[in-house]
Amino acid sequence: MKKHHISGLSKALLLLISLLFVGALFVPMWQIQLEAPQYPEGLVLRLYANKIGGDVDIINGLNHYIGMATLHTENFPEFRILPYVFGLFSLVSAALIFLSNRKYILIFGLVYVLFIALAAVDFYRWNYQYGHNLDPNAAIKVPGMAYQPPLIGYKQLLNFAAYSIPDTGGWMLTLAFVFITLVLVKEYKFTPKQAL
């Protein structure tokens, strides 16, 4: 049976995917924007692959009044792991160019989808913990109120409007997913059946 070698277009997309994973290490992946009358310019929390950035000190000060734990990069083991995960994804993407086997690309695509699902669950989990596990001795207490930001989209939290949306790195990772999908469609839909 004839061995299938992936197309030049697929190899070019795999190279771009590899570069996107590297690029995502240097820009914020996600942002949570907070808007309120007393902060007309808004506040933003930026999540990188290896740290928390943005207006962290101001947000931590506000969180203290409602009993939320303060946010510190060292409290999240994900920030120690993610750079290695992205580096590995980048190396695998580059290796797939030389392996030139669509089955390996399919496996890589499935692993990436699993990673996205696990990352979403993990993000929701720590949002939930920070929004619900409140200090009972906090200065401001609203019975039954939780302060969990949305996983994605908009939510009103007291007088703050919270927006949780992808940042530059998040869009790069989304683009990597789109390119992986395009490679798989190209290699499985537009190649002869006998080419395995």
Side-chain angles (χ1 to χ4, degrees):
M1 205 173 271
K2 182 184 174 184
K3 184 180 177 182
H4 174 61
H5 293 282
I6 63 173
S7 69
L9 174 59
S10 292
K11 290 180 179 182
L13 288 173
L14 286 168
L15 177 58
L16 286 174
I17 292 164
S18 179
L19 295 174
L20 286 168
F21 282 123
V22 172
L25 289 169
F26 301 99
V27 291
M29 296 185 303
W30 206 265
Q31 61 177 297
I32 298 174
Q33 298 176 3
L34 300 171
E35 296 177 2
Q38 66 268 42
Y39 293 98
E41 72 284 1
L43 299 171
V44 64
L45 190 70
R46 288 196 163 88
L47 305 177
Y48 293 77
N50 64 340
K51 65 180 181 179
I52 301 173
D55 301 307
V56 184
D57 292 337
I58 297 172
I59 292 170
N60 277 339
L62 293 169
N63 287 349
H64 172 74
Y65 288 108
I66 58 175
M68 288 179 71
T70 53
L71 297 164
H72 303 283
T73 296
E74 57 270 20
N75 294 343
F76 298 91
E78 294 89 340
F79 293 126
R80 293 190 292 275
I81 297 167
L82 276 177
Y84 294 103
V85 172
F86 287 2
L88 180 62
F89 281 168
S90 178
L91 289 173
V92 171
S93 301
L96 288 170
I97 297 170
F98 301 100
L99 292 172
S100 194
N101 186 309
R102 66 185 183 181
K103 284 193 283 189
Y104 294 154
I105 298 169
L106 177 60
I107 293 168
F108 177 62
L110 292 174
V111 169
Y112 188 44
V113 168
L114 179 62
F115 164 77
I116 292 169
L118 291 174
V121 168
D122 185 58
F123 186 41
Y124 177 86
R125 180 188 59 81
W126 75 255
N127 266 347
Y128 184 91
Q129 287 179 343
Y130 270 79
H132 287 81
N133 297 336
L134 305 175
D135 182 352
N137 301 313
I140 300 172
K141 288 182 277 190
V142 180
M145 182 69 186
Y147 302 97
Q148 180 182 357
L151 181 65
I152 187 168
Y154 162 83
K155 187 175 182 181
Q156 190 71 32
L157 302 171
L158 293 180
N159 64 327
F160 279 89
Y163 300 88
S164 179
I165 54 175
D167 209 319
T168 307
W171 292 118
M172 292 170 78
L173 297 177
T174 302
L175 193 57
F177 172 76
V178 171
F179 285 168
I180 291 169
T181 303
L182 287 175
V183 170
L184 289 171
V185 169
K186 166 82 173 66
E187 296 304 320
Y188 275 92
K189 187 170 180 178
F190 300 106
T191 54
K193 276 195 173 182
Q194 73 271 18
L196 298 175

